[in-house]
Amino acid sequence: MKQYIFSAMFLTAIIGSATAQSGKKGFTKLFDGKSTAGWHTYGQTTAGSKWQVEDGTLHFVPKSGREGGGDLVTDKEYSNFHLKIDWKVAPKANSGIIFYINEDKAKYSNTYSTGLEMQVLDNDGHPDGKITKHRSGDLYDLIKSSSEPVKPVGEWNTAEIISKNGKLELKLNGVKIVSTTLWDDQFKALIAGSKFANWEGFATFKSGKIALQDHGNEVWYRNILIKEL
């Protein structure tokens, strides 16, 4: 009996491992869990000191000094991709996952000058939670998420951004919450009705870098994976 139980447990472990591996097939790590290799602060060459690597996470620590902040940006640009990333926030915190960034700081002062953002937020504790299209999972200031499968503050969420040939999907905790087509006339109308209406270059680039936002609040990211499509 003991041998049977052990064999069953062993088989279950193998199946579970195979399932996990198949879910990650084709993905590569954007964060190695040990360093900020592959990342830098926007407009700089290295990662700011407020982005600290702790227990396999990227932890933004706002109180760790006056210097060392700024959005953390990938060294590489991406066009068609599937990004998976876990995040959690401290109470009253705000951050975001920004993509299709053109890193020409002389022309564009911030990541969000050109990049689209999937909002990361404490919906109940941060003032942005009272603004439509500014809540967790929203395509910031453009499209409200169709539902809110976000977990309570302090718990981990899994976000996914899937963009291929202009077709964009945002998922949160396995639920598709935003679906749109980038760069067509309907999308341009969305921008015209947003805060970005007169921002030259905003959401126009079809290849760009990915960033984790420093909004001055404590936030954690981990398990950052990407598949180029």
Side-chain angles (χ1 to χ4, degrees), residues 78-83 99-100 116 160-170 178-184 205-207 210 226-229:
Y78 299 91
S79 51
N80 296 320
F81 64 89
H82 183 170
L83 176 72
F99 53 103
Y100 288 133
L116 294 156
E160 296 179 63
I161 299 172
I162 306 165
S163 184
K164 185 175 183 182
N165 299 328
K167 302 296 184 183
L168 176 69
E169 285 187 5
L170 305 183
V178 171
S179 181
T180 192
T181 300
L182 301 176
W183 310 306
D184 66 4
F205 296 95
K206 297 181 180 181
S207 179
I210 297 168
I226 197 163
K227 179 194 290 185
E228 296 190 69
L229 304 176

Side-chain angles (χ1 to χ4, degrees), residues 8 12 63 65 77 113 130 172-173:
T12 300
K63 296 181 180 179
E77 290 192 356
S113 299
K130 297 180 174 63
L172 188 60
N173 297 320

